[in-house]
């Protein structure tokens, strides 16, 4: 507690000592908010990374980027980390049961929740909203939201091409180009292709590419200035991911024995139409209609071994084929921007609806027996939302927002189990903001977030088996809600050489959704389900700072401190986890980076990202070790060319990104162990970029 208070005290005291003029305010705009305000003017804990920030990490995927954010973590369990936790809240996997992520992902406003972010090449920027954002984003933002914006069209030609080579037979080619078609039409195109053998050696098959990466991402934008008041935009995405999946080792290292390596494939396409109209005298109108279609193929060798490894061995394979089709519509009116004079109120009023059709086929082989489980879930969401901001004085303003959302689920599976749910949920936000100086904002807020419940398809599929009869009581799980209180300070020094943002928060979780497992002493047979724990508590501090020590040296610091607690919760195996830390919620994480300009052409970037150990699951006590990842990058800049030599994880540390605790090795009579999937080892690469 003393550490949190010290950090907060320093930030508050420094904020009161800052005096500056308007032109020195940091003007990085938050694109995901209702109004595109500076990150220093948004009341809430929002972190923003530009393309330059991602380059500092030599980031090629979202996994690399997330290491830089305070109180943010991720889980893999597939070829990539697509499940995100913010402030200790977030899912870690998806098998049979359809989840609604606590931390959603938007790419150019299109909902990619549960699908991940395939490429971060050449972004406009990436934003992480921390804390409940139900008013803005609805049910997908119980803990926060990831908002990615790709390159926007420009009316002057510009482009960039980059190529990278790295160890593990890895390469990447990417580029973007933006140009006008006429005085009213412009477009941008971003393409990225990545390939790698991966970091696994399969000793049985004598291959080093069973956990390979093969990903193509294309993003296209078209902007049409129809009139002075009307702009029309078109966005198109295409993803083709053909990754392998062979990550868990019976020997608990990077050497596997699988005879049937799995796959993690995704083919998706998305289209969105955007409208912006400023012709009304009282408000601006914005809207987006989007469509997404995604087919995924996720499977793995369940025994992680080969037939004949041991007389007591077994041979199982699991595979999940999903089809997802979704439509979303989001329209809103935003009052005309004003100086927010005393007594004046700005407002937002919006309507949102979505329709998802989710099909699943689970193909499982147990020895020579093959089984099929199939299900369909249709989910419809509809909500209205609004927000007002009222100037109480010249410096003090009050923000009140809320959303009411109705969702309806219709579920049916191959056993003709039919279930439905129809519930109404609500979220809200009240914030009091005090603009101490043009560069210093103090805010206090209370917000409420929510997440829909759902159907436990796996429990339904196995409830008829007498060994899993208890699953008959686990057919569904309830919605979850969270209340968040937060106090924050954002400020910059007079000369702009120091920028600091700090937030302290306390969150109450009610009916928190946790992952449970049942294994009635049947060897490899187990079943997963989503359950509701009574409650949970999450509280902590986040700090981000940028310091310009002199004209050639700049430091970046991001650190988070988190305490999380499970309420009264007993697993079905009888384990009492009451009061324990929540899963994937490290108590401390930090990122420290430096940019050092040695000459006009030569610069060095270095950073270290660390986090304390954390529990892998809310169903057992296996833990990940603490880690410290060191990264370097040396850049040589010419007028149009840039050459870079980079190293990630310089000291080659094994970093766990997903973990289980059970017995799966017949060679030791199926004794229980902590089995971990490891993140990337030491990566060494070179990148050449040409801008035009």
């Amino acid at each position: 507690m003393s550490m949190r208070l010290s950090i907060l005290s320093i930030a508050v005291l420094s904020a009161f000592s800052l005096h500056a003029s308007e032109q020195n305010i940091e003007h990085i705009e938050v694109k995901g908010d209702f109004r595109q305000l500076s990150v220093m003017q948004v009341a809430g804990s929002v972190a923003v990374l530009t393309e330059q920030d991602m380059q500092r990490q030599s980031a090629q995927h979202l996994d690399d980027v997330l290491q830089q954010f305070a109180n943010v973590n991720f889980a893999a369990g597939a070829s990539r980390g697509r499940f995100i936790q913010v402030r200790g809240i977030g899912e870690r996997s998806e098998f049979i049961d359809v989840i609604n992520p606590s931390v959603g992902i938007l790419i150019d406003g299109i909902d990619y929740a549960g699908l991940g972010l395939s490429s971060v090449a050449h972004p406009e920027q990436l934003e992480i909203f921390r804390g409940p954002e139900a008013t803005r984003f609805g049910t997908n933002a119980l803990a926060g939201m990831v908002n990615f914006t790709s390159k926007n069209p420009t009316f002057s030609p510009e482009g960039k091409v980059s190529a990278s080579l790295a160890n593990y037979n890895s390469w990447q080619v990417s580029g973007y180009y933006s140009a006008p078609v006429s005085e009213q039409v412009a477009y941008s195109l971003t393409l990225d292709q990545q390939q790698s053998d991966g970091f696994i050696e399969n000793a049985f098959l004598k291959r080093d590419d069973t956990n390979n990466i093969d990903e193509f991402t294309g993003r296209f934008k078209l902007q049409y200035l129809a009139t002075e008041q009307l702009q029309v935009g078109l966005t198109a995405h295409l993803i083709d991911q053909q990754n392998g999946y062979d990550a868990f080792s019976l020997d608990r290292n990077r050497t596997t024995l699988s005879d049937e390596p799995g796959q993690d494939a995704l083919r998706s396409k998305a289209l969105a139409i955007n409208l912006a109209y400023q012709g009304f005298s009282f408000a601006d109108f914005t809207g987006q209609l989007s469509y997404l279609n995604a087919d995924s193929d996720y499977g793995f060798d369940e025994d992680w071994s080969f037939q004949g490894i041991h007389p007591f061995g077994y041979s199982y394979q699991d595979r999940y084929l999903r089809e997802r089709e979704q439509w979303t519509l989001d329209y809103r009116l935003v009052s005309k921007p004003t100086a927010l004079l005393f007594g004046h109120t700005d407002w937002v009023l919006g309507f949102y609806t979505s329709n998802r059709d989710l099909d699943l086929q689970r193909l499982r082989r147990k020895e020579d027996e093959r089984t099929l489980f199939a299900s369909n879930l249709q989910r419809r969401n509809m909500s209205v939302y609004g927000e007002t901001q009222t100037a109480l004085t010249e410096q003090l303003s009050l923000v009140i927002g809320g959303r009411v959302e109705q969702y309806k689920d219709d579920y049916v599976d191959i056993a003709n189990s039919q279930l439905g749910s129809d519930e109404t949920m609500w979220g809200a936000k009240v914030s009091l903001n005090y603009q101490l100086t043009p560069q210093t904002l103090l805010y206090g807020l209370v917000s409420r977030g929510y997440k829909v419940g759902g159907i436990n398809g796996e429990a339904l599929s196995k409830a008829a088996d007498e060994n899993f009869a208890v699953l008959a009581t686990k057919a569904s799980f309830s919605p979850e809600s969270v209340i968040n209180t937060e106090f924050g300070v954002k400020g910059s020094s007079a000369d702009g050489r120091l920028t600091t943002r700090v937030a302290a928060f306390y969150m109450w979780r009610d009916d928190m959704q946790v992952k449970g497992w049942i294994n009635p002493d049947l060897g490899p047979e187990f079943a997963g389900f989503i359950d509701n724990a009574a409650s949970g508590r999450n509280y902590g501090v986040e700090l981000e700072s940028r310091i310009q020590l002199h004209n050639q040296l700049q430091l970046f610091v991001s650190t988070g401190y988190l305490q999380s607690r499970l309420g009264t919760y007993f697993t079905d195996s009888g384990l009492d986890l009451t009061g324990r830390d929540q899963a994937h919620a490290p108590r401390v994480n930090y990122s420290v980076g430096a940019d050092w300009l040695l000459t006009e052409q030569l610069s060095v970037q270095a950073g270290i990202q660390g986090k304390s150990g954390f529990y892998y699951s809310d169903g057992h006590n296996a833990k990940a070790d603490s880690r410290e990842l060191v990264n370097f990058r040396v850049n040589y800049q010419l007028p149009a060319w840039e050459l870079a030599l980079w190293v990630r994880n310089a000291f080659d540390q094994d970093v766990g990104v997903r973990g289980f605790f059970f017995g799966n090795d017949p060679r030791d009579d199926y004794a229980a162990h902590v089995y971990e999937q490891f993140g990337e080892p030491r990566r060494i690469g070179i990148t050449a970029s040409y801008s035009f």
Side-chain angles (χ1 to χ4, degrees):
M1 179 67 73
S2 61
M3 174 185 174
R4 302 198 313 275
L5 291 177
S6 298
I7 294 174
L8 185 60
S9 300
I10 292 171
V12 173
L13 290 173
S14 64
F16 279 92
S17 66
L18 300 176
H19 304 283
S21 58
E22 178 71 22
Q23 68 265 23
N24 288 321
I25 296 178
E26 188 175 16
H27 283 294
I28 298 176
E29 291 187 341
V30 178
K31 300 182 181 298
D33 204 5
F34 289 133
R35 301 179 186 275
Q36 292 191 10
L37 300 175
S38 162
V39 67
M40 303 298 288
Q41 297 174 316
V42 174
S45 184
V46 185
V48 180
L49 291 185
T50 64
E51 184 174 10
Q52 182 180 3
D53 296 322
M54 297 187 198
Q55 177 181 289
R56 185 177 303 111
Q57 182 77 6
S58 302
Q60 295 175 292
H61 191 265
L62 184 62
D63 296 9
D64 309 319
V65 176
L66 292 177
Q67 309 282 358
Q68 300 184 59
F69 294 108
N71 285 333
V72 176
N73 201 6
F74 70 91
S79 61
R80 295 291 202 183
R82 65 170 60 99
F83 300 100
I84 303 168
Q85 302 85 43
V86 173
R87 295 179 174 177
I89 304 176
E91 288 63 43
R92 297 169 300 284
S93 61
E94 182 177 32
F95 295 100
I96 287 182
D97 307 322
V98 176
I99 64 169
N100 195 98
S102 300
V103 182
I105 295 177
L106 292 176
I107 305 177
D108 294 325
I110 302 173
D111 184 2
Y112 278 81
L115 296 176
L117 178 53
S118 60
S119 169
V120 296
H122 306 296
E124 193 77 22
Q125 67 186 37
L126 175 72
E127 302 158 0
I128 299 282
F129 291 79
R130 288 174 295 221
E133 289 287 346
T135 300
R136 174 62 184 90
F137 299 111
T139 187
N140 283 348
L142 177 81
M145 177 63 71
V146 176
N147 185 57
F148 181 88
T149 305
S150 63
K151 284 290 186 182
N152 290 319
T154 60
F155 281 85
S156 57
E158 63 177 40
K160 185 176 183 179
V161 176
S162 300
S164 298
L165 292 175
N167 53 341
Y168 298 96
N169 196 27
S170 305
W171 60 268
Q172 177 183 16
V173 176
S174 64
Y176 81 89
Y177 183 68
S178 180
V181 177
S182 66
E183 292 184 355
Q184 294 176 287
V185 180
Y187 72 93
S188 66
L189 176 65
T190 304
L191 302 175
D192 179 41
Q193 175 70 56
Q194 298 187 42
Q195 288 197 359
S196 173
D197 285 346
F199 323 122
I200 292 294
E201 182 80 24
N202 188 308
F204 177 76
L205 296 177
K206 295 180 173 55
R207 289 171 52 189
D208 60 4
D209 63 350
T210 54
N211 202 53
N212 70 301
I213 297 295
D214 182 358
E215 298 176 342
F216 170 80
T217 302
R219 300 186 179 114
F220 174 79
K221 286 183 175 180
L222 184 72
Q223 184 177 11
Y224 172 44
L225 305 180
T227 67
E228 291 185 2
Q229 292 81 30
L230 177 63
Q231 297 87 46
V232 181
L234 176 69
T235 301
H237 297 164
L238 178 64
I239 298 172
D240 188 0
Q241 171 182 301
Q242 301 297 320
N243 298 343
Y245 180 44
D246 183 28
F248 283 92
S249 165
L250 289 181
D251 295 318
R252 303 188 295 283
N253 54 26
R254 296 182 186 273
T255 301
T256 64
L257 299 171
S258 311
D259 58 356
E260 298 176 294
Q263 64 285 329
D264 185 20
L266 173 67
R267 293 186 180 91
S268 74
K269 50 185 178 292
L271 191 67
I273 298 175
N274 299 278
L275 297 176
Y277 181 67
Q278 295 88 32
F280 298 128
S281 60
F282 60 96
D284 295 333
F285 171 83
T286 62
Q288 182 184 75
L289 172 65
S290 67
Y291 170 78
L292 182 142
N293 181 277
D295 297 332
S296 63
D297 183 355
Y298 169 73
F300 50 91
D301 191 334
E302 199 170 330
D303 53 273
W304 305 344
S305 63
F306 55 90
Q307 295 190 41
I309 187 174
H310 190 273
F312 298 150
Y314 70 100
S315 178
Y316 287 10
Q317 189 184 45
D318 213 356
R319 188 177 182 186
Y320 300 82
L321 302 172
R322 280 188 165 86
E323 296 180 9
R324 170 171 162 179
E325 187 173 40
Q326 78 180 28
W327 291 89
T328 60
L329 176 66
D330 193 357
Y331 286 164
R332 74 178 67 102
L333 289 169
V334 181
S335 64
K336 292 289 187 182
T338 67
L340 206 61
L341 301 176
F342 172 66
H344 184 83
T345 297
D346 283 343
W347 53 268
V348 176
L349 181 63
F351 171 79
Y352 173 88
T353 183
S354 69
N355 191 330
R356 287 189 187 179
D357 196 334
L358 306 169
D359 286 310
L360 166 69
Q361 286 191 357
R362 183 195 189 188
L363 309 175
R364 194 176 185 215
R365 181 186 60 77
K366 299 189 295 183
E367 305 297 349
D368 294 326
E369 177 189 355
R370 299 181 184 273
T371 60
L372 168 67
F373 175 80
S375 67
N376 173 264
L377 176 68
Q378 293 187 351
R379 172 166 290 170
R380 298 171 180 83
N381 296 62
M382 183 179 298
S383 63
V384 292
Y385 57 88
E387 184 177 276
T388 62
Q389 181 175 4
T390 303
L392 303 180
T393 69
E394 290 185 0
Q395 295 173 295
L396 188 65
S397 62
L398 176 66
V399 176
I400 300 176
R403 179 185 290 247
V404 177
E405 181 164 351
Q406 182 187 45
Y407 81 93
K408 182 178 181 181
D409 283 355
D410 291 304
Y411 171 89
V412 61
D413 62 30
I414 195 171
N416 203 30
S417 298
Q418 300 186 39
L419 291 176
S421 59
D422 189 346
E423 297 197 34
T424 300
M425 299 169 295
W426 63 276
K429 175 181 178 180
V430 178
S431 174
L432 195 61
N433 310 328
Y434 186 68
Q435 196 73 48
L436 182 64
T437 73
Q439 284 183 279
T440 307
L441 173 70
L442 282 70
Y443 70 88
L445 66 83
V446 178
S447 56
R448 184 184 192 272
Y450 58 87
K451 182 171 67 168
V452 301
I455 310 300
N456 278 320
E458 186 168 6
L460 288 172
S461 69
K462 291 188 174 182
D465 186 333
E466 61 180 14
N467 294 301
F468 293 95
V470 67
L471 291 176
T473 64
K474 309 288 186 181
S476 62
F477 53 95
S478 301
E480 177 181 351
S481 63
V482 62
I483 294 177
N484 172 61
T485 60
E486 187 172 319
F487 173 72
V489 182
K490 302 182 177 186
S492 299
S493 64
D495 56 7
R497 299 174 75 90
L498 170 65
T499 299
T500 299
R501 298 186 290 271
V502 63
F505 60 90
Y506 198 107
M507 305 171 73
W508 292 264
R509 301 178 67 182
D510 190 26
D511 285 328
M512 59 180 292
Q513 296 173 9
V514 296
K515 185 72 174 183
W517 299 92
I518 291 179
N519 184 347
D521 298 323
L522 294 177
E525 281 299 320
F526 57 91
F529 59 92
I530 299 175
D531 203 358
N532 293 95
S535 62
R537 298 290 184 267
N538 301 57
Y539 55 93
V541 179
E542 294 147 359
L543 181 143
E544 294 165 329
S545 189
R546 176 181 57 82
I547 308 168
Q548 187 82 42
L549 295 180
H550 59 73
N551 292 338
Q552 294 175 287
L553 181 60
Q554 191 169 202
L555 297 181
F556 303 86
V557 178
S558 174
T559 183
Y561 178 79
L562 174 67
Q563 286 279 1
S564 64
R565 292 286 182 267
L566 289 167
T568 303
Y569 182 59
F570 293 83
T571 69
D572 282 85
S573 63
L575 189 62
D576 182 4
L577 298 183
T578 302
R580 201 208 69 180
D581 288 359
Q582 296 166 24
H584 271 252
R587 292 192 176 186
V588 177
N589 79 314
Y590 63 89
S591 174
V592 179
D595 289 356
W596 188 12
L597 186 63
L598 300 176
T599 69
E600 291 185 359
Q601 290 80 33
L602 185 64
S603 63
V604 175
Q605 297 168 320
I608 178 171
Q609 289 84 39
K611 64 184 66 172
S612 58
F614 54 87
Y615 291 98
Y616 276 126
S617 172
D618 292 323
H620 54 72
N621 283 320
K623 293 188 70 173
D625 293 332
S626 61
R627 71 283 309 269
E628 297 81 28
L629 303 180
V630 177
N631 312 290
F632 295 100
R633 183 182 178 100
V634 179
N635 299 280
Y636 189 76
Q637 183 73 55
L638 297 172
W641 286 90
E642 181 182 12
L643 302 177
L645 171 67
W646 50 266
V647 181
R648 290 199 302 264
N649 191 4
F651 295 106
D652 200 22
Q653 187 174 20
D654 283 337
V655 175
V657 293
R658 187 74 171 106
F660 298 97
F661 181 77
F662 67 109
N664 202 38
D665 193 342
R667 300 172 300 180
D668 61 8
D669 295 325
Y670 294 101
H673 297 286
V674 180
Y675 291 106
E676 296 177 283
Q677 176 181 347
F678 296 110
E680 68 172 18
R682 181 190 296 118
R683 303 297 310 282
I684 303 174
I686 56 173
T687 300
S689 301
Y690 176 70
S691 300
F692 54 94

